[in-house]
Amino acid sequence: MSTQSTRLAARFMVAPSVIVLFIWMIVPLAMTAYFSFRLYRLLSPDRSGWVGFNNYVWFFNSPDFWLALTNTLLLVGGVLIITVILGVLIALLLDQPVKGQGVLRILVIAPFFVMPPVAASIWENLFMHPQNGLFAAIARGFGAQPILFLESYPMPSVIAIVAWEWLPFATLILLTAMQSLSSEQLEAAEMDGASALSRFRYIILPHLTRAITVVILIQTIFLLGIFGEIYTTTQGGPGSASTTLPYMIFKQAIVAKDIGRAAAGGIIAVILANIVAYFLMRSIGKHLDA
Amino acid sequence: MARAASPRRRLLTTLAAWFVALLIFFPVLWMILTSFKTEASAVASPPELLGASWTLENYVEVWSRSDYPRFFWNSVVISVGSTLLGLAIAIPSAWAMAFVPGKRTKDLLMWMLSTKMMPAVAVMIPIYLLFQQLGLFDTKIGLILALMLMNLPIIIWMLYTYFKEIPGEILEAARMDGAGMWSEIAYVLTPMALPGIASTMLLNIILAWNEAFWTIVLTTTKAAPLSAFIASFSAPQGLFYAKLSAASAMAIMPILILGWFSQKQLVRGLTFGAVK
């Protein structure tokens, strides 16, 4: 149905978004790749030149890098496990005929709309603070020592905060998927004497596979870039205990002002994201028909 | 999925569901409660609830005695501005891809999606340096551009999945009746596409309002929106808990309200149409 002229018009309509996205992603990426092989420090601009793979070598030799890499994977993996398992359970519960469905959904979805710095600051100050936090007050109520959450257990604390933010997203998607399951199928299984557990295992869970796949895929994209929560709470500390790869690169660029090293980190992050994306797409791509 | 259940079981599941929902919501609720307490009451141990001294003072003080209105205004301008600009660029593109698909359309869409998978830190340095050289650093225009570009793939994908659902036969019928391309767009497509465009707009205002990477990297004080302001707000030994809570409550309230209206579209938008 498309003539030559509509085709041409269509090209002109698509062009602007392709061009701006290209300028936004590909050009800076090429610049980052270029910087990553240069000596480039904002604090000593007179010294510059090619340094080969030195910036990369610095990264791989830095113990902080391996810690940051581990922390990044811990954060992504930990949040995924918590949100998918709890998300399935809560979706199962909300899918039951309960009173006040509408209000319940509103309460459950709320954390997702809280901007990361506010979410982090609520947990840091009102809950995890060793003197004034609610957890400390509860601990004192039981005569126990308050736990120094962000000092003693920085990564688990950050994972808990991020999981709280993303749990609504997982729950909402799984609930939406669950509601498209026909009740006749479940009723028939119930009539045939299938237990609640086997109904879950053989009917509900297979039906949810696609939704779980989508949750994992999309959350991974966002979780690999988690930044605001760490910036607000621990600033990557104590020491480097809660530094993730994005945060480490941010520190190299903005604090240490070493553009060359930060750029090398950026390229490593791209490669890491591609590896993760490749495995994700391969292992779960079969559930998705794009 | 409404199944017959015994009243007893129904009561139990209702109680359990309410308990879980309130548990998840509790941190937000606690923050809102704290925002209405006096500073002394906010950090009292054991925590005060019924006996707390309630006040509106924190809201008044945050709003009148700091630069808070400016941060708030920056958030409004940046999130609405970047969304409108994004829509202006994305609507023609998504329209063309949905109604005049070529051989490469699918690849193009996948490429756009793949730019979302690129970690922002990888392009942060050139963007940071370019913004400083072009005078865009710490300006609202700069942030509008950055956030528009960050969300453009999502806007295009959402619009594309909505436009795809408009049946092509309607266009053919309009064409038979002698409608030209522009009247086709104005009288046939636009009314059918409006709900999709509205929910795309809503979701992107939410994403832009809550963005906390580019806003922190690309601003200092002048153009900083609420997300950057709260991220650098530190409460020295709990002296400002109630005010911090009031500032936070005002920062999330517009989005909580918008979000509650758009939760259905949210699923679809954030899953790129994969879950409806």
Side-chain angles (χ1 to χ4, degrees), chain B residues 174-187:
Chain B
R175 225 164 281 168
M176 296 278 217
D177 292 343
M181 190 170 107
W182 291 111
S183 55
E184 188 183 297
I185 292 179
Y187 299 114

Side-chain angles (χ1 to χ4, degrees), chain A residues 17 21 281 288-290, chain B residues 86 90-91 93-95 97-98 105-117 151-164 196 200 203-204 268-274 276:
Chain A
S17 44
L21 272 182
M281 288 296 200
L288 278 176
D289 44 310
Chain B
I91 288 175
S93 300
W95 186 88
M97 287 196 277
T105 301
K106 206 116 236 183
D107 295 338
L108 205 54
L109 276 167
M110 286 317 280
W111 172 73
M112 287 177 177
L113 190 57
S114 75
T115 64
K116 264 321 270 184
M117 298 193 194
N151 287 329
L152 191 60
I154 295 182
I155 301 186
I156 292 175
W157 260 87
M158 268 186 88
L159 289 173
Y160 174 79
T161 64
Y162 280 116
F163 289 173
K164 259 291 191 217
T200 307
L203 179 69
N204 277 278
R268 186 188 167 134
L270 278 179
T271 59
F272 302 101
K276 283 177 201 164

